[in-house]
Amino acid sequence: MDEVIFAEMERRKRIRRFTVLFILTLAILVIFFISMDTGYTKLSPLEVVKTLFGMGDEKQSLILFEFRLPRIIISILIGSGLAVSGCVLQGVTRNPLADPGILGITAGAGLLVVLFISFYPNSMDAPVLLLPFLALLGGGMAAALIYMLTYKKNEGLLPGRLLLNGIGVSAGISALMIVLMLKLNPRQFDFLAVWLAGSIWGTSWKHVLTLLPWILLLIPYVIYKSRSLDVLGFGDQMAAGLGMPVERERLKLLAAAVFLAAASVSVSGGIGFIGLIGPHMAKRLIGTGHKYLIPASALTGSLLLLAADTIGRTVLQPSEIHAGIVVAIIGAPYFLYLLSRSKA
């Protein structure tokens, strides 16, 4: 009898989770079409549909296919990458405040990009395909430094110390970036100021092709490792007792999180808080099992960033508010709320 009740509960839980995933996907599609209608040049829903099917004029095709669609797709990819990165970091460290931006990964990635732009003769012609690797190197160095400062041999990763070390390293790197930016010419400075604020403006299909392979490879890998994330949540000693090679699995997952965050940051710049808010919203909707939490985080992150970019393009037309600023307006109060509730 108990087994029947348990099976029924699990069935209802699965149905609820799939329903949540479906609703999130539907919400993304709705904002996707709203975003295609939004911009300085108005396109009616009918004109959008006609242009998608090749029946629009040359101007409408240019606006939709060369400007809006790449930007929308990039928003979805970056939102999912940052949110899944945050979900993995929170799971591995057992710290609900873990986030690529707060832990210094975003700042480390930005530092290498700033150095590259500083020495490259023309920032606007900088090879886009190289930026993810530079961001990965910088983010990986920052993550390695924070890991070494935080890890204790007999205690593992200490959540409270991890947060403090991440904030300290991020602040130091940000200060160094400001010093470097003072030596740039006006054109390079303007480019990096927009990049560091977190902007999706000016993205093209080249940026989509740069980011897409990282997302398609790493998110399925993290979902495949969802059981390891669940076991790590019990603590290092319990995980080791269950036969898991704790350090090896932790390093693999941390590397995946850093890769996702760095690749996303290389295209969007310093968009913060998606990796913090996305997993928390997903957890409230779907529960704690990472098999479903990771896809839900990806969808929630995509929804948040796509909505933020659409709002930023709408509120002050013809001017724009960068997506990173819109997300920060939402994310900063939420971070303070989580910090006030944290026992770390």
Side-chain angles (χ1 to χ4, degrees), residues 48-59:
V48 168
V49 173
K50 288 173 64 177
T51 306
L52 285 174
F53 285 97
M55 294 182 287
D57 59 34
E58 186 176 343
K59 180 182 177 182

Side-chain angles (χ1 to χ4, degrees), residues 60-131:
Q60 291 168 344
S61 298
L62 178 67
I63 292 170
L64 193 62
F65 290 109
E66 296 302 322
F67 295 109
R68 292 187 186 171
L69 271 178
R71 181 169 181 166
I72 292 168
I73 293 171
I74 278 289
S75 298
I76 292 171
L77 293 176
I78 292 170
S80 63
L82 290 175
V84 171
S85 176
C87 182
V88 173
L89 290 172
Q90 289 169 19
V92 168
T93 63
R94 303 190 304 280
N95 188 330
L97 299 177
D99 164 82
I102 295 167
L103 295 183
I105 297 171
T106 300
L111 178 61
L112 261 290
V113 172
V114 169
L115 285 170
F116 175 71
I117 298 298
S118 300
F119 291 102
Y120 200 79
N122 188 343
S123 60
M124 301 307 292
D125 297 327
V128 172
L129 293 174
L130 186 58
L131 293 183

